[in-house]
Amino acid sequence: MFFKECKKAVFSLTFLLYVFVVFAMYLTQFGNDASSAVSAPSPDSGDYGFTATPIPETLMPNAAEGLVDEYLAGEFTTYPTGFYKKVKLTEKKKTALAAVITELTGLTAEELDGFDSYEPEGFNYTADENGDIVLSYHERVLPEIRVSESLTYERFEELMEEADKIIGGGSYYSKKGISRYYSMVPKTYEQALAEYERLINDEKITGAYARLFCDYSGIDLAVMPVFVAAALVSLDRKYRVSGLIYSRKISSARLVFTRFAALVTVLLIPAAITAVMANVSVSSRYPGYSVDMLAIPKLAAVWLIPNILTAAAVGMFVTELSSPILAVFVQGAWWIASVMSADGLTGEIRPFTLVCRHNSLYKYEAFANTLPQFIFNRVFYTVLPLVLVGLTAALYELKRRGIWNGLFSGGKNIFRKSAV
């Protein structure tokens, strides 16, 4: 039965779609980022990117400028639920925010509202003497901003928290927001060199690429399996073979878990192939270096299998409970919420985050700091699918006994009475 279920899954159209998406994600995302080897930083470059350094001397004036800038613009960028949203304040809230800015910078509401020279940063498009369009950048124009010397960092954090609440939450002025958006400073050569040496020596190159591979692959593997699972479960209804299957002596638990095992096995194959391809591809770009030839497959097993298990289990359970369309909707909504609610692309793995992110070859410390949450997270999303499959088996048994027929299946409710 296991191999029959595997064959049924492999030859389904939804599985072909799944394979296409998995390989497309690999080629267009990870394949693009890993197309060339990382080179050692040059001491003469002077440009090594940026790094978050949350020191008060940098963070406080940058955040103050950002707050004044958005106040004068009249609207604030927020991500209250992970989605982009522009917020315009009422006069009452604007007055309250002006009081925060006054304590922060000394600028009064009258001075802010009377500043007529404000201009946001951006680009100007002008025509030269030949009629050609010329693009020029202009910096923002703000009033002179000085953070009070007597303002402690603790009080600054309180003011930023108050500003975030006035705006409605999810702004640049939350505790995480000010650290992420206003603490960026240029990296030094020594910092860039230390990152490079960690990638080459400590992580054997492929260790760093393993996180990047799992970051990209984890996105599609947290949602695409639901399509395959929902389609396969609904085949019994489509071909009207439920009665034949119900009459078999095999237990519902054995039947459902065998189907789940076959489904997961088939879903793992494309993911495993891309993991091996990634490891080989990365290793080939660093000839002469010591690399871990199993780093990407090993981390992928821990990182990605729970995603596949969860999406497949939700597909089976919700389809058995109601319909394949609802299964896709539930998993899709969960997936979107998880992806969009991420506070950042690195170092923000939380205990119940479905889609774990670490979109960088560097920042190992950020990943290491969240390792306990990551381990708990992956264990949780390994156990949860097994619970869902157990519930699926229970629903299947009720159907076999004729006690239950699904939520409003065929216009009837769960007690087989006509729906009102």
Side-chain angles (χ1 to χ4, degrees):
M1 179 181 177
F2 174 81
F3 292 105
K4 286 183 178 180
E5 293 294 328
C6 287
K7 182 179 179 180
K8 187 164 61 174
V10 168
F11 288 101
S12 66
L13 290 177
T14 50
F15 178 71
L16 295 179
L17 173 64
Y18 168 80
V19 172
F20 173 79
V21 172
V22 169
F23 279 91
M25 190 71 164
Y26 167 75
L27 294 173
T28 60
Q29 301 301 313
F30 179 81
N32 183 59
D33 283 4
S35 60
S36 60
V38 175
S39 57
S42 169
D44 301 323
S45 170
D47 182 10
Y48 310 106
F50 291 84
T51 184
T53 305
I55 55 176
E57 292 78 10
T58 300
L59 194 153
M60 292 170 66
N62 288 345
E65 286 187 3
L67 184 59
V68 172
D69 184 15
E70 291 199 299
Y71 178 91
L72 294 176
E75 57 183 14
F76 299 81
T77 298
T78 65
Y79 299 88
T81 58
F83 293 93
Y84 171 84
K85 179 183 178 182
K86 280 290 187 182
V87 172
K88 292 187 177 181
L89 301 183
T90 63
E91 285 300 319
K92 182 178 180 180
K93 289 186 176 181
K94 188 176 179 181
T95 300
L97 187 60
V100 171
I101 295 176
T102 298
E103 183 175 350
L104 184 65
T105 67
L107 292 170
T108 64
E110 291 74 17
E111 289 174 318
L112 290 169
D113 296 335
F115 186 73
D116 299 327
S117 301
Y118 168 73
E119 188 174 358
E121 66 177 351
F123 293 91
N124 291 327
Y125 296 88
T126 57
D128 60 16
E129 62 275 6
N130 298 320
D132 296 326
I133 300 298
V134 177
L135 177 66
S136 60
Y137 169 79
H138 63 82
E139 295 184 352
R140 61 187 178 185
V141 178
L142 299 174
E144 184 178 358
I145 298 174
R146 294 181 180 178
V147 177
S148 173
E149 294 182 0
S150 61
L151 185 69
T152 65
Y153 187 72
E154 290 72 21
R155 179 55 182 162
F156 165 79
E157 286 188 313
E158 292 175 356
L159 290 172
M160 290 295 100
E161 184 178 354
E162 184 177 346
D164 182 60
K165 289 181 179 179
I166 293 171
I167 296 168
S171 72
Y172 294 153
Y173 314 105
S174 64
K175 188 172 184 179
K176 289 184 178 180
I178 58 175
S179 177
R180 178 175 301 113
Y181 297 108
Y182 298 115
S183 64
M184 303 302 291
V185 296
K187 288 181 186 176
T188 64
Y189 167 71
E190 289 74 19
Q191 289 174 318
L193 181 61
E195 285 186 335
Y196 175 78
E197 290 179 344
R198 173 180 284 280
L199 184 149
I200 298 297
N201 301 321
D202 298 344
E203 300 201 75
K204 303 298 181 183
I205 300 172
T206 48
Y209 279 95
R211 293 192 298 276
L212 187 63
F213 170 81
C214 292
D215 171 80
Y216 284 130
S217 297
I219 297 174
D220 56 293
L221 292 179
V223 67
M224 290 307 300
V226 73
F227 292 93
V228 186
L232 289 178
V233 173
S234 63
L235 282 179
D236 291 349
R237 302 175 188 174
K238 181 178 179 180
Y239 294 110
R240 299 181 180 180
V241 296
S242 298
L244 178 62
I245 297 175
Y246 291 167
S247 64
R248 291 183 178 180
K249 293 183 179 180
I250 186 172
S251 69
S252 297
R254 182 179 177 185
L255 175 63
V256 171
F257 273 94
T258 300
R259 279 185 167 180
F260 182 68
L263 175 62
V264 170
T265 299
V266 168
L267 293 172
L268 282 174
I269 294 174
I273 292 174
T274 55
V276 173
M277 289 172 58
N279 221 115
V280 172
S281 175
V282 171
S283 301
S284 67
R285 302 196 188 286
Y286 292 86
Y289 287 90
S290 175
V291 299
D292 183 349
M293 291 302 297
L294 293 176
I296 295 179
K298 286 189 296 186
L299 184 60
V302 176
W303 192 312
L304 302 180
I305 289 178
N307 286 16
I308 295 175
L309 292 174
T310 301
V314 169
M316 292 184 67
F317 174 69
V318 180
T319 300
E320 204 66 67
L321 179 70
S322 179
S323 70
I325 295 177
L326 183 61
V328 171
F329 175 80
V330 169
Q331 185 63 27
W334 188 7
W335 175 76
I336 291 173
S338 178
V339 172
M340 298 302 296
S341 64
D343 288 327
L345 298 184
T346 57
E348 294 292 344
I349 298 174
R350 292 170 293 191
F352 300 103
T353 303
L354 175 62
V355 182
C356 298
R357 303 300 308 272
H358 191 92
N359 192 255
S360 174
L361 290 176
Y362 304 109
K363 301 182 181 180
Y364 170 79
E365 291 78 8
F367 179 76
N369 290 338
T370 60
L371 189 58
Q373 295 96 302
F374 174 77
I375 293 173
F376 175 86
N377 178 290
R378 295 296 87 183
V379 171
F380 176 80
Y381 284 112
T382 299
V383 175
L384 177 63
L386 298 180
V387 174
L388 290 176
V389 176
L391 293 174
T392 304
L395 293 176
Y396 199 84
E397 179 64 20
L398 291 175
K399 287 185 177 183
R400 294 178 77 175
R401 295 182 181 184
I403 300 174
W404 193 71
N405 195 39
L407 293 177
F408 298 95
S409 177
K412 296 180 179 180
N413 62 23
I414 61 175
F415 299 110
R416 293 180 175 274
K417 297 177 182 179
S418 298
V420 178

